[in-house]
Short mmCIF file of all heavy atoms in Angstrom, two decimals:
data_model
loop_
_atom_site.label_atom_id
_atom_site.label_comp_id
_atom_site.label_asym_id
_atom_site.label_seq_id
_atom_site.Cartn_x
_atom_site.Cartn_y
_atom_site.Cartn_z
N MET A 1 7.28 -0.90 -0.29
CA MET A 1 6.80 0.46 -0.09
C MET A 1 5.77 0.49 1.05
O MET A 1 4.72 1.06 0.95
CB MET A 1 6.17 1.00 -1.33
CG MET A 1 7.11 1.77 -2.21
SD MET A 1 6.42 2.38 -3.74
CE MET A 1 5.10 3.42 -3.16
N GLU A 2 6.07 -0.15 2.16
CA GLU A 2 5.16 -0.17 3.31
C GLU A 2 5.00 1.21 3.89
O GLU A 2 5.97 1.87 4.23
CB GLU A 2 5.72 -1.13 4.36
CG GLU A 2 4.86 -1.29 5.59
CD GLU A 2 3.88 -2.37 5.48
OE1 GLU A 2 4.04 -3.28 4.66
OE2 GLU A 2 2.94 -2.29 6.27
N GLY A 3 3.75 1.68 4.04
CA GLY A 3 3.50 2.94 4.66
C GLY A 3 3.76 4.16 3.77
O GLY A 3 3.67 5.28 4.21
N LYS A 4 4.05 3.98 2.53
CA LYS A 4 4.30 5.08 1.60
C LYS A 4 3.11 5.29 0.69
O LYS A 4 2.41 4.36 0.35
CB LYS A 4 5.55 4.83 0.77
CG LYS A 4 6.79 4.54 1.57
CD LYS A 4 7.75 5.65 1.40
CE LYS A 4 8.98 5.30 2.24
NZ LYS A 4 10.03 6.18 2.04
N ILE A 5 2.86 6.52 0.31
CA ILE A 5 1.75 6.83 -0.57
C ILE A 5 2.36 7.26 -1.93
O ILE A 5 3.25 8.13 -1.98
CB ILE A 5 0.92 7.98 -0.02
CG1 ILE A 5 0.25 7.54 1.28
CG2 ILE A 5 -0.15 8.41 -1.00
CD1 ILE A 5 -0.49 8.62 2.03
N ASN A 6 1.84 6.70 -2.97
CA ASN A 6 2.29 7.02 -4.31
C ASN A 6 1.49 8.27 -4.75
O ASN A 6 0.30 8.14 -5.06
CB ASN A 6 2.12 5.89 -5.28
CG ASN A 6 2.75 6.16 -6.64
OD1 ASN A 6 3.23 7.21 -6.88
ND2 ASN A 6 2.79 5.13 -7.48
N ILE A 7 2.10 9.41 -4.85
CA ILE A 7 1.40 10.66 -5.16
C ILE A 7 0.93 10.70 -6.60
O ILE A 7 0.05 11.49 -6.93
CB ILE A 7 2.21 11.87 -4.86
CG1 ILE A 7 3.51 11.94 -5.62
CG2 ILE A 7 2.49 11.96 -3.34
CD1 ILE A 7 4.31 13.20 -5.47
N GLU A 8 1.44 9.82 -7.43
CA GLU A 8 0.99 9.80 -8.83
C GLU A 8 -0.42 9.24 -8.96
O GLU A 8 -1.11 9.53 -9.95
CB GLU A 8 1.94 8.99 -9.69
CG GLU A 8 3.32 9.61 -9.78
CD GLU A 8 4.30 8.77 -10.52
OE1 GLU A 8 3.93 7.67 -11.01
OE2 GLU A 8 5.48 9.23 -10.66
N HIS A 9 -0.89 8.50 -7.95
CA HIS A 9 -2.22 7.91 -8.04
C HIS A 9 -3.26 8.74 -7.28
O HIS A 9 -4.40 8.35 -7.23
CB HIS A 9 -2.22 6.48 -7.48
CG HIS A 9 -1.44 5.54 -8.37
ND1 HIS A 9 -0.24 5.00 -7.96
CD2 HIS A 9 -1.67 5.11 -9.60
CE1 HIS A 9 0.24 4.23 -8.95
NE2 HIS A 9 -0.61 4.32 -9.97
N LEU A 10 -2.88 9.82 -6.69
CA LEU A 10 -3.79 10.67 -5.92
C LEU A 10 -4.49 11.66 -6.84
O LEU A 10 -3.90 12.12 -7.82
CB LEU A 10 -3.07 11.47 -4.82
CG LEU A 10 -2.49 10.67 -3.65
CD1 LEU A 10 -1.78 11.59 -2.72
CD2 LEU A 10 -3.57 9.90 -2.95
N ARG A 11 -5.76 11.98 -6.55
CA ARG A 11 -6.45 13.03 -7.25
C ARG A 11 -7.30 13.81 -6.26
O ARG A 11 -7.66 13.29 -5.20
CB ARG A 11 -7.30 12.47 -8.40
CG ARG A 11 -8.49 11.63 -7.94
CD ARG A 11 -9.27 11.13 -9.15
NE ARG A 11 -10.47 10.47 -8.72
CZ ARG A 11 -11.64 11.08 -8.61
NH1 ARG A 11 -11.77 12.33 -8.97
NH2 ARG A 11 -12.69 10.42 -8.21
N VAL A 12 -7.59 15.05 -6.59
CA VAL A 12 -8.36 15.91 -5.71
C VAL A 12 -9.85 15.49 -5.81
O VAL A 12 -10.44 15.49 -6.85
CB VAL A 12 -8.20 17.39 -6.13
CG1 VAL A 12 -9.08 18.27 -5.24
CG2 VAL A 12 -6.74 17.81 -5.99
N LYS A 13 -10.39 15.11 -4.65
CA LYS A 13 -11.83 14.76 -4.61
C LYS A 13 -12.69 15.98 -4.32
O LYS A 13 -13.72 16.13 -4.94
CB LYS A 13 -12.01 13.67 -3.53
CG LYS A 13 -13.41 13.19 -3.39
CD LYS A 13 -13.56 12.11 -2.33
CE LYS A 13 -14.98 11.68 -2.19
NZ LYS A 13 -15.10 10.66 -1.15
N HIS A 14 -12.21 16.80 -3.38
CA HIS A 14 -13.06 17.97 -3.00
C HIS A 14 -12.09 19.07 -2.47
O HIS A 14 -11.15 18.76 -1.76
CB HIS A 14 -14.00 17.53 -1.88
CG HIS A 14 -14.98 18.59 -1.49
ND1 HIS A 14 -16.00 18.98 -2.26
CD2 HIS A 14 -15.01 19.35 -0.38
CE1 HIS A 14 -16.69 19.91 -1.63
NE2 HIS A 14 -16.08 20.14 -0.52
N ALA A 15 -12.34 20.30 -2.87
CA ALA A 15 -11.54 21.40 -2.38
C ALA A 15 -12.49 22.56 -2.00
O ALA A 15 -13.38 22.89 -2.79
CB ALA A 15 -10.55 21.87 -3.44
N THR A 16 -12.28 23.15 -0.82
CA THR A 16 -13.07 24.31 -0.42
C THR A 16 -12.16 25.36 0.15
O THR A 16 -11.15 25.07 0.69
CB THR A 16 -14.13 23.94 0.65
OG1 THR A 16 -13.46 23.38 1.78
CG2 THR A 16 -15.12 22.92 0.11
N ALA A 17 -12.60 26.58 0.04
CA ALA A 17 -11.91 27.71 0.66
C ALA A 17 -12.94 28.54 1.40
O ALA A 17 -13.96 28.99 0.76
CB ALA A 17 -11.23 28.55 -0.40
N GLY A 18 -12.75 28.72 2.66
CA GLY A 18 -13.71 29.50 3.46
C GLY A 18 -13.01 30.61 4.20
O GLY A 18 -11.77 30.71 4.21
N ALA A 19 -13.79 31.51 4.75
CA ALA A 19 -13.26 32.63 5.46
C ALA A 19 -12.63 32.20 6.79
O ALA A 19 -13.12 31.34 7.47
CB ALA A 19 -14.35 33.65 5.73
N GLY A 20 -11.46 32.79 7.10
CA GLY A 20 -10.79 32.56 8.33
C GLY A 20 -10.85 33.78 9.20
O GLY A 20 -11.60 34.75 8.88
N PRO A 21 -10.06 33.81 10.24
CA PRO A 21 -10.06 35.01 11.11
C PRO A 21 -9.45 36.22 10.35
O PRO A 21 -8.56 36.08 9.52
CB PRO A 21 -9.19 34.60 12.28
CG PRO A 21 -8.40 33.48 11.80
CD PRO A 21 -9.20 32.80 10.73
N SER A 22 -9.90 37.38 10.72
CA SER A 22 -9.43 38.64 10.09
C SER A 22 -8.55 39.37 11.14
O SER A 22 -8.92 39.45 12.32
CB SER A 22 -10.56 39.54 9.71
OG SER A 22 -11.34 38.92 8.74
N LEU A 23 -7.43 39.86 10.67
CA LEU A 23 -6.56 40.70 11.49
C LEU A 23 -6.91 42.17 11.28
O LEU A 23 -6.95 42.64 10.16
CB LEU A 23 -5.09 40.48 11.13
CG LEU A 23 -4.51 39.08 11.26
CD1 LEU A 23 -3.12 38.98 10.72
CD2 LEU A 23 -4.55 38.70 12.74
N LYS A 24 -7.21 42.89 12.36
CA LYS A 24 -7.65 44.27 12.25
C LYS A 24 -6.50 45.17 12.68
O LYS A 24 -5.99 45.07 13.81
CB LYS A 24 -8.87 44.47 13.13
CG LYS A 24 -10.04 43.64 12.61
CD LYS A 24 -11.28 43.77 13.47
CE LYS A 24 -12.38 42.98 12.86
NZ LYS A 24 -12.66 41.77 13.58
N ARG A 25 -6.06 46.05 11.81
CA ARG A 25 -4.98 46.97 12.05
C ARG A 25 -5.39 48.35 11.63
O ARG A 25 -6.44 48.52 10.93
CB ARG A 25 -3.75 46.52 11.23
CG ARG A 25 -3.23 45.15 11.51
CD ARG A 25 -2.55 45.08 12.86
NE ARG A 25 -1.98 43.79 13.07
CZ ARG A 25 -2.49 42.85 13.85
NH1 ARG A 25 -3.70 43.05 14.41
NH2 ARG A 25 -1.88 41.73 14.04
N PHE A 26 -4.61 49.34 12.01
CA PHE A 26 -4.91 50.70 11.64
C PHE A 26 -3.72 51.31 10.91
O PHE A 26 -2.54 51.08 11.29
CB PHE A 26 -5.24 51.55 12.87
CG PHE A 26 -6.58 51.19 13.49
CD1 PHE A 26 -6.65 50.37 14.55
CD2 PHE A 26 -7.73 51.70 12.93
CE1 PHE A 26 -7.87 50.03 15.12
CE2 PHE A 26 -8.94 51.36 13.49
CZ PHE A 26 -9.03 50.53 14.56
N LEU A 27 -3.96 52.11 9.87
CA LEU A 27 -2.96 52.78 9.12
C LEU A 27 -3.00 54.27 9.49
O LEU A 27 -4.09 54.90 9.34
CB LEU A 27 -3.24 52.61 7.61
CG LEU A 27 -2.25 53.24 6.64
CD1 LEU A 27 -0.90 52.56 6.74
CD2 LEU A 27 -2.79 53.12 5.23
N PRO A 28 -1.89 54.84 9.95
CA PRO A 28 -1.92 56.27 10.27
C PRO A 28 -2.12 57.13 9.04
O PRO A 28 -1.58 56.84 7.98
CB PRO A 28 -0.54 56.52 10.88
CG PRO A 28 0.20 55.28 10.84
CD PRO A 28 -0.59 54.22 10.22
N ARG A 29 -2.95 58.17 9.19
CA ARG A 29 -3.22 59.09 8.07
C ARG A 29 -2.90 60.49 8.49
O ARG A 29 -2.46 60.74 9.60
CB ARG A 29 -4.71 58.95 7.64
CG ARG A 29 -5.12 57.58 7.20
CD ARG A 29 -4.28 57.04 6.07
NE ARG A 29 -4.46 57.79 4.87
CZ ARG A 29 -4.64 57.27 3.70
NH1 ARG A 29 -4.63 55.98 3.56
NH2 ARG A 29 -4.80 58.03 2.63
N ALA A 30 -3.17 61.42 7.65
CA ALA A 30 -2.87 62.82 7.91
C ALA A 30 -3.74 63.41 9.03
O ALA A 30 -4.86 62.93 9.26
CB ALA A 30 -3.10 63.65 6.63
N GLN A 31 -3.20 64.34 9.72
CA GLN A 31 -3.88 65.13 10.80
C GLN A 31 -4.33 64.23 11.93
O GLN A 31 -5.44 64.45 12.47
CB GLN A 31 -5.03 65.96 10.17
CG GLN A 31 -4.59 66.93 9.19
CD GLN A 31 -5.73 67.74 8.59
OE1 GLN A 31 -6.86 67.55 8.90
NE2 GLN A 31 -5.38 68.67 7.71
N GLY A 32 -3.57 63.21 12.26
CA GLY A 32 -3.86 62.36 13.42
C GLY A 32 -5.00 61.34 13.20
O GLY A 32 -5.45 60.75 14.17
N ARG A 33 -5.46 61.21 12.02
CA ARG A 33 -6.51 60.25 11.74
C ARG A 33 -5.93 58.88 11.51
O ARG A 33 -4.72 58.70 11.30
CB ARG A 33 -7.34 60.68 10.54
CG ARG A 33 -8.06 61.98 10.77
CD ARG A 33 -9.00 62.27 9.62
NE ARG A 33 -9.78 63.46 9.88
CZ ARG A 33 -9.63 64.59 9.21
NH1 ARG A 33 -8.71 64.70 8.27
NH2 ARG A 33 -10.35 65.64 9.52
N ALA A 34 -6.80 57.86 11.51
CA ALA A 34 -6.33 56.48 11.22
C ALA A 34 -7.40 55.77 10.34
O ALA A 34 -8.60 56.04 10.49
CB ALA A 34 -6.17 55.69 12.52
N THR A 35 -6.95 54.98 9.41
CA THR A 35 -7.80 54.24 8.48
C THR A 35 -7.70 52.73 8.87
O THR A 35 -6.58 52.23 9.04
CB THR A 35 -7.36 54.41 7.06
OG1 THR A 35 -7.42 55.81 6.74
CG2 THR A 35 -8.27 53.68 6.11
N PRO A 36 -8.82 52.08 9.03
CA PRO A 36 -8.75 50.63 9.37
C PRO A 36 -8.27 49.83 8.19
O PRO A 36 -8.60 50.09 7.07
CB PRO A 36 -10.19 50.30 9.78
CG PRO A 36 -11.03 51.31 9.14
CD PRO A 36 -10.20 52.55 9.03
N ILE A 37 -7.45 48.81 8.48
CA ILE A 37 -6.98 47.81 7.51
C ILE A 37 -7.47 46.47 8.02
O ILE A 37 -7.20 46.12 9.20
CB ILE A 37 -5.49 47.84 7.36
CG1 ILE A 37 -5.00 49.19 6.81
CG2 ILE A 37 -5.01 46.67 6.44
CD1 ILE A 37 -3.50 49.26 6.71
N ILE A 38 -8.10 45.68 7.18
CA ILE A 38 -8.53 44.36 7.56
C ILE A 38 -7.75 43.37 6.71
O ILE A 38 -7.91 43.30 5.49
CB ILE A 38 -10.09 44.19 7.34
CG1 ILE A 38 -10.83 45.18 8.17
CG2 ILE A 38 -10.50 42.76 7.66
CD1 ILE A 38 -12.30 45.20 7.95
N LYS A 39 -6.89 42.60 7.36
CA LYS A 39 -6.07 41.62 6.66
C LYS A 39 -6.84 40.28 6.76
O LYS A 39 -6.89 39.63 7.83
CB LYS A 39 -4.70 41.51 7.31
CG LYS A 39 -3.92 42.77 7.19
CD LYS A 39 -2.54 42.61 7.80
CE LYS A 39 -1.75 43.87 7.64
NZ LYS A 39 -0.37 43.73 8.11
N ARG A 40 -7.41 39.87 5.66
CA ARG A 40 -8.27 38.66 5.64
C ARG A 40 -7.38 37.41 5.45
O ARG A 40 -6.42 37.42 4.69
CB ARG A 40 -9.31 38.74 4.57
CG ARG A 40 -10.23 39.94 4.75
CD ARG A 40 -11.33 39.95 3.73
NE ARG A 40 -12.09 41.15 3.81
CZ ARG A 40 -13.09 41.31 4.60
NH1 ARG A 40 -13.49 40.35 5.40
NH2 ARG A 40 -13.78 42.47 4.66
N THR A 41 -7.77 36.33 6.11
CA THR A 41 -7.15 35.03 5.91
C THR A 41 -8.20 34.04 5.49
O THR A 41 -9.40 34.35 5.48
CB THR A 41 -6.47 34.56 7.20
OG1 THR A 41 -7.47 34.42 8.24
CG2 THR A 41 -5.41 35.52 7.69
N SER A 42 -7.80 32.84 5.10
CA SER A 42 -8.77 31.85 4.65
C SER A 42 -8.38 30.47 5.18
O SER A 42 -7.21 30.19 5.54
CB SER A 42 -8.84 31.80 3.17
OG SER A 42 -7.59 31.48 2.59
N HIS A 43 -9.35 29.57 5.28
CA HIS A 43 -9.19 28.16 5.61
C HIS A 43 -9.33 27.40 4.31
O HIS A 43 -10.39 27.46 3.67
CB HIS A 43 -10.21 27.68 6.63
CG HIS A 43 -10.03 28.25 7.97
ND1 HIS A 43 -8.98 27.94 8.79
CD2 HIS A 43 -10.81 29.13 8.73
CE1 HIS A 43 -9.10 28.58 9.92
NE2 HIS A 43 -10.17 29.32 9.90
N ILE A 44 -8.28 26.70 3.93
CA ILE A 44 -8.37 25.89 2.69
C ILE A 44 -8.37 24.39 3.06
O ILE A 44 -7.46 23.98 3.82
CB ILE A 44 -7.14 26.20 1.77
CG1 ILE A 44 -7.16 27.68 1.39
CG2 ILE A 44 -7.14 25.31 0.56
CD1 ILE A 44 -5.94 28.11 0.64
N THR A 45 -9.34 23.67 2.56
CA THR A 45 -9.45 22.26 2.82
C THR A 45 -9.38 21.52 1.48
O THR A 45 -10.17 21.82 0.60
CB THR A 45 -10.77 21.91 3.50
OG1 THR A 45 -10.86 22.69 4.71
CG2 THR A 45 -10.87 20.43 3.81
N ILE A 46 -8.43 20.56 1.38
CA ILE A 46 -8.35 19.76 0.16
C ILE A 46 -8.40 18.31 0.53
O ILE A 46 -7.64 17.82 1.37
CB ILE A 46 -7.02 20.04 -0.60
CG1 ILE A 46 -6.97 21.51 -1.01
CG2 ILE A 46 -6.85 19.15 -1.78
CD1 ILE A 46 -5.69 21.97 -1.62
N ILE A 47 -9.33 17.58 -0.05
CA ILE A 47 -9.52 16.15 0.22
C ILE A 47 -9.07 15.36 -1.03
O ILE A 47 -9.56 15.68 -2.12
CB ILE A 47 -10.98 15.82 0.54
CG1 ILE A 47 -11.42 16.63 1.79
CG2 ILE A 47 -11.20 14.33 0.74
CD1 ILE A 47 -12.86 16.52 2.12
N VAL A 48 -8.18 14.50 -0.84
CA VAL A 48 -7.63 13.68 -1.98
C VAL A 48 -8.06 12.24 -1.80
O VAL A 48 -8.33 11.80 -0.70
CB VAL A 48 -6.12 13.79 -2.08
CG1 VAL A 48 -5.68 15.18 -2.40
CG2 VAL A 48 -5.44 13.30 -0.81
N GLU A 49 -8.09 11.52 -2.91
CA GLU A 49 -8.38 10.10 -2.89
C GLU A 49 -7.46 9.43 -3.87
O GLU A 49 -6.94 10.08 -4.79
CB GLU A 49 -9.85 9.82 -3.17
CG GLU A 49 -10.26 10.11 -4.63
CD GLU A 49 -11.70 9.79 -4.89
OE1 GLU A 49 -12.37 9.29 -3.96
OE2 GLU A 49 -12.17 10.07 -5.97
N GLY A 50 -7.26 8.16 -3.64
CA GLY A 50 -6.35 7.39 -4.52
C GLY A 50 -6.54 5.93 -4.29
O GLY A 50 -7.32 5.48 -3.47
N GLU A 51 -5.80 5.17 -5.04
CA GLU A 51 -5.85 3.72 -4.90
C GLU A 51 -5.10 3.24 -3.66
O GLU A 51 -4.10 3.79 -3.28
CB GLU A 51 -5.22 3.04 -6.11
CG GLU A 51 -5.89 3.38 -7.40
CD GLU A 51 -5.14 2.80 -8.59
OE1 GLU A 51 -4.19 2.06 -8.39
OE2 GLU A 51 -5.57 3.09 -9.71
N ALA A 52 -5.68 2.25 -3.00
CA ALA A 52 -4.98 1.62 -1.85
C ALA A 52 -3.83 0.76 -2.46
O ALA A 52 -4.01 0.18 -3.52
CB ALA A 52 -5.91 0.81 -1.04
N PRO A 53 -2.76 0.67 -1.76
CA PRO A 53 -1.65 -0.21 -2.24
C PRO A 53 -2.07 -1.63 -2.28
O PRO A 53 -2.77 -2.14 -1.39
CB PRO A 53 -0.50 0.07 -1.24
CG PRO A 53 -1.17 0.64 -0.07
CD PRO A 53 -2.39 1.31 -0.50
N ALA A 54 -1.69 -2.29 -3.31
CA ALA A 54 -2.05 -3.74 -3.47
C ALA A 54 -1.26 -4.58 -2.46
O ALA A 54 -0.10 -4.35 -2.24
CB ALA A 54 -1.77 -4.18 -4.90
N GLU A 55 -1.95 -5.56 -1.89
CA GLU A 55 -1.27 -6.47 -0.93
C GLU A 55 -1.03 -7.82 -1.59
O GLU A 55 -1.86 -8.29 -2.38
CB GLU A 55 -2.17 -6.67 0.28
CG GLU A 55 -2.37 -5.42 1.11
CD GLU A 55 -3.23 -5.68 2.33
OE1 GLU A 55 -3.62 -6.87 2.51
OE2 GLU A 55 -3.52 -4.77 3.07
N ASP A 56 0.08 -8.40 -1.25
CA ASP A 56 0.34 -9.72 -1.78
C ASP A 56 -0.36 -10.77 -0.90
O ASP A 56 -0.85 -10.47 0.17
CB ASP A 56 1.83 -10.00 -1.92
CG ASP A 56 2.57 -9.83 -0.60
OD1 ASP A 56 1.96 -9.35 0.34
OD2 ASP A 56 3.76 -10.18 -0.55
N ALA A 57 -0.36 -12.01 -1.31
CA ALA A 57 -1.07 -13.07 -0.60
C ALA A 57 -0.48 -13.31 0.78
O ALA A 57 -1.20 -13.56 1.74
CB ALA A 57 -1.05 -14.34 -1.44
N ALA A 58 0.84 -13.19 0.92
CA ALA A 58 1.49 -13.48 2.18
C ALA A 58 1.09 -12.40 3.23
O ALA A 58 0.84 -12.75 4.39
CB ALA A 58 3.01 -13.44 2.05
N THR A 59 0.96 -11.17 2.84
CA THR A 59 0.55 -10.13 3.76
C THR A 59 -0.90 -10.32 4.18
O THR A 59 -1.22 -10.15 5.38
CB THR A 59 0.70 -8.76 3.10
OG1 THR A 59 2.04 -8.62 2.59
CG2 THR A 59 0.43 -7.65 4.05
N LYS A 60 -1.77 -10.74 3.25
CA LYS A 60 -3.19 -10.95 3.61
C LYS A 60 -3.33 -12.06 4.62
O LYS A 60 -4.07 -11.95 5.58
CB LYS A 60 -3.99 -11.24 2.33
CG LYS A 60 -4.24 -10.01 1.50
CD LYS A 60 -5.09 -10.41 0.34
CE LYS A 60 -5.32 -9.17 -0.58
NZ LYS A 60 -6.15 -9.48 -1.72
N THR A 61 -2.61 -13.19 4.41
CA THR A 61 -2.77 -14.34 5.32
C THR A 61 -2.16 -13.96 6.71
O THR A 61 -2.74 -14.35 7.72
CB THR A 61 -2.08 -15.59 4.78
OG1 THR A 61 -0.74 -15.30 4.44
CG2 THR A 61 -2.83 -16.07 3.54
N ALA A 62 -1.09 -13.23 6.72
CA ALA A 62 -0.46 -12.82 8.00
C ALA A 62 -1.43 -11.92 8.78
O ALA A 62 -1.59 -12.07 10.00
CB ALA A 62 0.86 -12.15 7.79
N ARG A 63 -2.07 -11.03 8.10
CA ARG A 63 -2.98 -10.11 8.75
C ARG A 63 -4.22 -10.89 9.26
O ARG A 63 -4.77 -10.64 10.33
CB ARG A 63 -3.42 -9.01 7.78
CG ARG A 63 -4.32 -8.01 8.45
CD ARG A 63 -4.56 -6.80 7.60
NE ARG A 63 -3.35 -6.01 7.50
CZ ARG A 63 -2.96 -5.40 6.40
NH1 ARG A 63 -3.67 -5.43 5.32
NH2 ARG A 63 -1.81 -4.69 6.40
N ALA A 64 -4.71 -11.85 8.46
CA ALA A 64 -5.86 -12.65 8.83
C ALA A 64 -5.53 -13.49 10.12
O ALA A 64 -6.41 -13.64 10.97
CB ALA A 64 -6.29 -13.54 7.71
N ARG A 65 -4.31 -13.99 10.22
CA ARG A 65 -3.89 -14.74 11.40
C ARG A 65 -3.90 -13.88 12.62
O ARG A 65 -4.29 -14.30 13.71
CB ARG A 65 -2.53 -15.36 11.19
CG ARG A 65 -2.60 -16.69 10.48
CD ARG A 65 -1.23 -17.41 10.53
NE ARG A 65 -0.95 -17.83 9.18
CZ ARG A 65 0.14 -17.58 8.49
NH1 ARG A 65 1.10 -16.90 9.04
NH2 ARG A 65 0.27 -17.99 7.30
N ARG A 66 -3.47 -12.67 12.53
CA ARG A 66 -3.41 -11.74 13.66
C ARG A 66 -4.78 -11.38 14.13
O ARG A 66 -5.06 -11.23 15.31
CB ARG A 66 -2.65 -10.49 13.32
CG ARG A 66 -1.15 -10.68 13.35
CD ARG A 66 -0.42 -9.40 13.06
NE ARG A 66 -0.37 -9.28 11.59
CZ ARG A 66 0.07 -8.26 10.94
NH1 ARG A 66 0.51 -7.20 11.60
NH2 ARG A 66 0.09 -8.23 9.65
N ARG A 67 -5.77 -11.28 13.22
CA ARG A 67 -7.12 -10.89 13.57
C ARG A 67 -7.94 -12.06 14.07
O ARG A 67 -8.96 -11.83 14.79
CB ARG A 67 -7.83 -10.32 12.34
CG ARG A 67 -7.34 -8.97 11.92
CD ARG A 67 -8.13 -8.38 10.84
NE ARG A 67 -7.55 -7.20 10.27
CZ ARG A 67 -7.84 -6.68 9.12
NH1 ARG A 67 -8.73 -7.25 8.35
NH2 ARG A 67 -7.22 -5.61 8.69
N ALA A 68 -7.57 -13.27 13.71
CA ALA A 68 -8.36 -14.43 14.13
C ALA A 68 -8.32 -14.61 15.65
O ALA A 68 -7.31 -14.45 16.25
CB ALA A 68 -7.84 -15.67 13.43
N PRO A 69 -9.50 -14.95 16.25
CA PRO A 69 -9.52 -15.14 17.68
C PRO A 69 -8.75 -16.43 18.04
O PRO A 69 -8.67 -17.39 17.29
CB PRO A 69 -11.02 -15.32 18.02
CG PRO A 69 -11.65 -15.67 16.71
CD PRO A 69 -10.80 -15.09 15.66
N ALA A 70 -8.09 -16.37 19.23
CA ALA A 70 -7.30 -17.52 19.66
C ALA A 70 -8.22 -18.65 20.00
O ALA A 70 -9.26 -18.50 20.64
CB ALA A 70 -6.44 -17.11 20.89
N LYS A 71 -7.86 -19.91 19.61
CA LYS A 71 -8.63 -21.10 19.98
C LYS A 71 -8.35 -21.48 21.41
O LYS A 71 -7.25 -21.57 21.83
CB LYS A 71 -8.27 -22.21 18.99
CG LYS A 71 -8.66 -21.93 17.56
CD LYS A 71 -8.28 -23.10 16.71
CE LYS A 71 -8.62 -22.80 15.25
NZ LYS A 71 -8.26 -23.88 14.35
N GLU A 72 -9.44 -21.71 22.11
CA GLU A 72 -9.33 -22.14 23.48
C GLU A 72 -9.25 -23.66 23.58
O GLU A 72 -10.02 -24.36 22.87
CB GLU A 72 -10.50 -21.61 24.33
CG GLU A 72 -10.52 -20.10 24.38
CD GLU A 72 -11.68 -19.58 25.26
OE1 GLU A 72 -12.15 -20.38 26.07
OE2 GLU A 72 -12.01 -18.42 25.13
N ALA A 73 -8.44 -24.21 24.46
CA ALA A 73 -8.30 -25.62 24.60
C ALA A 73 -9.23 -26.21 25.63
O ALA A 73 -9.81 -25.61 26.45
CB ALA A 73 -6.87 -25.98 24.96
#
């Protein structure tokens, strides 16, 4: 499962909802008048956290070899 996230292990760490931009429109009324309509939107932010996938020993040693500086002769 390289590069895949198991959604069963995720949980919501933090969620916020804030005001977003408002769309301003006008509604026609009687006798040539107009009533303002404000269509509100929101910004929703959800932060999730979960367990990192477990690595086997072969993956850890291969990654360590790639990170190790090359020996100079």
Side-chain angles (χ1 to χ4, degrees):
M1 267 178 59
E2 180 90 20
K4 303 248 180 174
I5 297 174
N6 188 353
I7 60 172
E8 294 176 1
H9 293 112
L10 293 179
R11 67 181 188 94
V12 176
K13 181 178 179 181
H14 185 74
T16 58
S22 298
L23 299 173
K24 297 175 176 108
R25 302 286 185 260
F26 290 98
L27 180 67
R29 300 305 293 228
Q31 298 180 359
R33 296 187 176 110
T35 302
I37 296 176
I38 301 174
K39 297 182 178 184
R40 300 184 187 274
T41 60
S42 61
H43 290 292
I44 299 173
T45 304
I46 299 175
I47 300 172
V48 296
E49 68 179 356
E51 298 176 5
E55 295 182 359
D56 58 350
T59 306
K60 285 182 181 180
T61 55
R63 184 171 290 142
R65 274 191 227 126
R66 282 182 275 176
R67 289 186 190 162
K71 294 181 182 178
E72 295 182 20

